[in-house]
Amino acid sequence: MQLSLFDTAADAPFAGGKPADPTSLRPALPVPSTPQQPGLTHPRSQRRIVLDGQAVGYEMRRSRRRSIGFVIGVEGLSVSAPRWVGQAEIDSALRDKGSWILRKLQEQRERAQRLNAARVDWRAGTTIPFLGRPVALVLDSATTGAVLQNHLTDQASLHLGLPTTAEPAQIRDTVQSWLQRQARRIFEERCAVFAVRLDVRMKRLSLSSAATRWGSASADGSIRLNWRLVHFGLPVIDYVVTHELAHLREMNHGPAFWEVVRGALPEFESARGALRSEVLPVFD
């Protein structure tokens, strides 16, 4: 048995899960003359509808499902409906949820903007977060490997053993390798601390690179933690560590589980909030 801690910022389905594969599609409706804000049209939209005065272009899929389902993703609104449901009924369902749809689309636009701003320009002087603090990258061919300096101050820097002519991919790979080494060291230390508090035994720790999962725990005592957690401050790391170790006592998310977490980390709610709201640097 395995339980996981998921990134709540990931897209979630509404009213019936993710849409099934598309089958036959009806012809697209004419585009209404209503003004449309950027980001309200799905790139594969076949239909349009006006919701609270805003024109929304959405992807329409027909399937064998029993109900109408909405998914608000990074591309926009997708609608999945049974083949026997008429367009009028679909339009009615969309209008009933119009405010919710527009709010979620706005949230996706804002998140996309934050993600775009978080893309790393891999060059000297760029800063990345490490344990909740900004760290400036320095290309220093006299350095062997990567060396962190002044990490407890506002002038923290990571000296990389690379020439000033290093390609962005070289810089990225060197930084990522260093972050992963630090992640393992820090996670091992924090797991040791909280395993004692929780009176559990962790048999194995491994790092993951999952896109939507911060950590997972197995009944055999194995813990997996996402190395990207090393961008956060220790309170957030401690929350995820505590969360996963607590599963070695309670393999569920019931009230008893949260009491175990609270017993080891009384102020865990604030750390959980930071985990959900922060946008990490994009490594590409």
Side-chain angles (χ1 to χ4, degrees):
M1 182 177 182
Q2 184 181 80
L3 288 178
S4 305
L5 177 62
F6 289 89
D7 179 1
T8 56
D11 299 337
F14 174 80
K18 294 182 178 179
D21 291 335
T23 54
S24 59
L25 296 173
R26 297 183 181 180
L29 296 178
V31 177
S33 59
T34 307
Q36 185 169 335
Q37 294 181 3
L40 294 185
T41 297
H42 195 289
R44 294 185 299 278
S45 65
Q46 307 99 346
R47 297 187 178 278
R48 303 286 189 273
I49 190 169
V50 177
L51 302 176
D52 295 344
Q54 293 295 327
V56 176
Y58 63 91
E59 180 186 33
M60 181 68 208
R61 299 181 177 186
R62 292 286 184 170
S63 69
R64 295 180 180 179
R65 60 178 299 132
R66 298 181 179 180
S67 61
I68 301 171
F70 308 148
V71 172
I72 310 295
V74 293
E75 294 184 308
L77 170 63
S78 295
V79 178
S80 181
R83 297 186 181 93
W84 50 265
V85 173
Q87 188 61 43
E89 186 174 346
I90 295 171
D91 289 347
S92 178
L94 286 166
R95 292 190 181 100
D96 286 344
K97 296 295 182 182
S99 296
W100 179 87
I101 291 170
L102 290 174
R103 184 175 71 253
K104 291 300 181 181
L105 287 171
Q106 175 65 23
E107 291 173 1
Q108 285 290 350
R109 285 202 302 272
E110 293 173 353
R111 178 171 175 78
Q113 291 169 356
R114 294 196 302 271
L115 286 172
N116 188 57
R119 294 188 183 278
V120 179
D121 181 11
W122 294 106
R123 58 180 178 79
T126 291
T127 61
I128 59 167
F130 173 65
L131 295 182
R133 291 175 175 269
V135 174
L137 304 183
V138 177
L139 303 186
D140 180 4
S141 58
T143 297
T144 300
V147 178
L148 180 64
Q149 297 185 7
N150 304 317
H151 76 285
L152 296 179
T153 73
D154 293 335
Q155 289 78 41
S157 59
L158 181 62
H159 289 244
L160 308 174
L162 296 173
T164 56
T165 56
E167 294 293 326
Q170 291 178 280
I171 301 172
R172 178 199 62 204
D173 293 346
T174 302
V175 172
Q176 181 170 318
S177 178
W178 180 82
L179 286 171
Q180 290 175 341
R181 293 195 301 273
Q182 300 308 306
R184 175 168 290 281
R185 175 183 63 81
I186 293 165
F187 297 168
E188 287 176 347
E189 291 174 357
R190 304 316 290 170
C191 282
V193 169
F194 285 95
V196 172
R197 289 192 192 182
L198 291 161
D199 192 24
V200 297
R201 182 184 177 190
M202 180 188 71
K203 293 185 178 178
R204 182 169 59 255
L205 171 68
S206 57
L207 300 183
S208 82
S209 300
T212 60
R213 181 177 295 176
W214 289 120
S216 63
S218 299
D220 65 0
S222 299
I223 300 293
R224 288 176 61 84
L225 297 174
N226 194 313
W227 69 266
R228 298 294 300 277
L229 285 167
V230 80
H231 291 303
F232 292 98
L234 278 180
V236 173
I237 295 173
D238 286 349
Y239 163 63
V240 179
V241 166
T242 301
H243 184 115
E244 301 309 334
L245 290 175
H247 280 313
L248 301 185
R249 288 178 54 181
E250 294 285 340
M251 292 298 290
N252 56 69
H253 285 107
F257 166 79
W258 291 109
E259 285 305 310
V260 172
V261 174
R262 192 180 305 278
L265 201 66
E267 306 298 327
F268 75 88
E269 285 96 343
S270 60
R272 182 171 60 176
L275 183 68
R276 291 173 172 174
S277 61
E278 291 293 327
V279 176
L280 298 182
V282 177
F283 281 52
D284 61 2

